[in-house]
Amino acid sequence: MQEIDLRSDTVTQPTAAMRQAMYEAELGDDVYGEDPTVNRLEALAAERMGKEAALLVSSGTMGNLVSLLTHCGRGDEIIMGDKAHTFVSEAGGVSALGGIHVRTVPNLDDGMPDLAAMERAIRAENIHFPRTRALTIENTHNFCGGAVLSVEQMASVKRLAELRGLVVHLDGARIFNAAVALGVPVSDLAAQVDSVQFCLSKGLSAPVGSIIAGSADFIQGARRNRKIVGGGMRQAGIIAAAGIVALEQMVERLAEDHENAYRLALGLAEIPGIVIEPDKVKTNILFFGVEGDGVETTEVAAALTERGVLLAQTDPTRFRAVTHYGITAEDIDEALVRIAEAMRELAN
Ligand SMILES: *Cc1c(COP(=O)(O)O)cnc(C)c1O
């Protein structure tokens, strides 16, 4: 039985073109700025984002951490939605390592932080208060089911930040999914923020790596902070070579992942005992619940694992499924057959 792994788009394997590019990559010491392949990736990424400069880092977590270390000093405050990946799933790194004070506001279902609450949360100048320095947003929004923020929604955050003298950081781990779903150039989204982090290693299928992009000054500061957290890598062109292929060959096809996620959502909606709103599925991530007397997610997860369908159990009541490179429409149909079977068995 073939396994269908829908836990995350991080399980994607590098493509044949990536392995070839890695094998052939010209290398140098990137801490000296001498790796030609890293330099090429950073220039390409900056161009795609419409920013002055970009920096390769080893993960999305490092990208957000280094960006926020660069914007904020110890005791400064950042404001973000309470479902932000940086708040929920990055081990509190900005506080642990940066002494940055994180303040959350409610996250709306559409992926936006409650903007009025964000505005109220911005501190007045007063020696009792931490200084608010940055607002952060996430696009697409992981824990809001891959929700997409429009250019206009992002612009509303930018306007607020400008009015109050703050910077905006975008956790754009899946910013290319957002751009493809909206049908806009990714630079239109990046133009709404001062800094952006995106992952090469998720839907774009590279084995390792994230990029941060922003002004030349910001990236110069970020380069130092990357060194501080031990993220200066030497012949990193091995990684960057795959990143170049990711940007050149793997962006357009994300539309397929979105179609497959919607196909999965429509199919799940037909299965008794599964609770899902297919119309909320905009990109490659979907969440669903299970209902029924005595049906529990742990049992469902076990029954699915037995049938070779792997999902992420994100909390006691919900599952997350993520479509990605390597998952075809046929795999989705096969997963649906196995999920329906498992649900039937558990209902009996
Ligand atoms: C995955 C993810 C990250 C972190 O990326 P890693 O490479 O796993 O560290 C950050 N933000 C969001 C929204 C993510 O989905």
Side-chain angles (χ1 to χ4, degrees):
M1 185 180 49
Q2 200 206 322
E3 206 162 70
I4 303 170
D5 192 345
L6 300 170
R7 287 172 302 167
S8 175
D9 44 10
T10 55
V11 303
T12 43
Q13 296 276 326
T15 66
M18 286 176 185
R19 289 178 187 269
Q20 189 68 32
M22 292 168 82
Y23 183 76
E24 290 167 359
E26 257 188 90
L27 305 174
D29 188 330
D30 180 52
V31 176
Y32 293 149
E34 290 174 2
D35 188 300
T37 310
V38 171
N39 292 341
R40 204 148 57 83
L41 170 63
E42 291 178 345
L44 175 64
E47 185 217 303
R48 292 287 158 93
M49 291 293 139
K51 296 293 187 199
E52 286 174 2
L55 183 71
L56 174 66
V57 293
S58 57
S59 68
T61 301
M62 185 185 280
N64 288 330
L65 173 64
V66 165
S67 296
L68 293 169
L69 286 176
T70 307
H71 288 310
C72 304
R74 300 185 69 82
D76 285 348
E77 185 171 72
I78 54 180
I79 307 173
M80 64 183 77
D82 59 4
K83 291 182 181 161
H85 191 280
T86 300
F87 180 61
V88 178
S89 290
E90 294 173 17
V94 293
S95 307
L97 304 178
I100 299 168
H101 195 251
V102 178
R103 184 157 185 200
T104 59
V105 297
N107 233 130
L108 308 179
D109 279 352
D110 66 0
M112 274 289 280
D114 179 333
L115 200 60
M118 205 170 222
E119 183 166 10
R120 282 194 302 275
I122 297 169
R123 307 282 184 162
E125 180 61 40
N126 180 317
I127 60 159
H128 296 86
F129 298 158
R131 277 207 182 101
T132 309
R133 280 287 304 151
L135 308 177
T136 80
I137 47 179
E138 186 173 316
N139 198 11
T140 64
H141 201 295
N142 190 337
F143 298 128
C144 292
V148 180
L149 302 183
S150 67
V151 173
E152 189 36 53
Q153 282 174 308
M154 291 180 67
S156 66
V157 179
K158 178 175 191 255
R159 275 195 298 276
L160 172 61
E162 280 173 355
L163 207 64
R164 305 296 294 268
L166 308 175
V167 296
V168 182
H169 172 69
L170 171 63
D171 180 356
R174 297 185 180 82
I175 193 176
F176 286 100
N177 293 82
V180 166
L182 293 166
V184 301
V186 73
S187 55
D188 285 10
L189 299 173
Q192 308 307 319
V193 297
D194 297 278
S195 59
V196 52
Q197 176 282 125
F198 70 87
C199 292
L200 297 162
S201 60
K202 290 186 170 166
L204 300 183
S205 303
V208 183
S210 276
I211 294 283
I212 59 185
S215 70
D217 271 358
F218 168 79
I219 291 298
Q220 199 184 353
R223 205 173 276 283
R224 170 177 286 271
N225 285 320
R226 183 185 67 173
K227 197 80 184 82
I228 287 177
V229 298
M233 298 181 282
R234 302 297 177 174
Q235 283 71 42
I238 283 282
I239 292 169
I244 292 169
V245 176
L247 287 178
E248 288 182 339
Q249 300 182 9
M250 302 300 285
V251 171
E252 298 296 313
R253 63 152 306 284
L254 293 173
E256 247 174 77
D257 299 340
H258 300 175
E259 283 161 26
N260 284 336
Y262 191 59
R263 185 185 188 93
L264 179 61
L266 289 178
L268 286 171
E270 299 295 316
I271 299 175
I274 287 187
V275 187
I276 184 167
E277 290 177 76
D279 288 342
K280 286 202 171 153
V281 179
K282 305 290 186 209
T283 58
N284 69 328
I285 299 179
L286 63 84
F287 283 86
F288 65 91
V290 292
E291 64 178 8
D293 274 351
V295 176
E296 295 192 7
T297 46
T298 43
E299 281 177 347
V300 175
L304 291 176
T305 304
E306 217 173 273
R307 288 172 171 80
V309 177
L310 304 186
L311 300 169
Q313 231 185 313
T314 49
D315 64 48
T317 61
R318 291 196 311 168
F319 289 102
R320 188 186 72 171
V322 186
T323 55
H324 52 80
Y325 177 68
I327 295 287
T328 63
E330 292 71 42
D331 293 329
I332 296 298
D333 294 343
E334 174 61 23
L336 285 166
V337 168
R338 296 185 201 171
I339 295 168
E341 212 178 76
M343 292 303 289
R344 253 196 322 276
E345 184 189 88
L346 289 170
N348 285 332

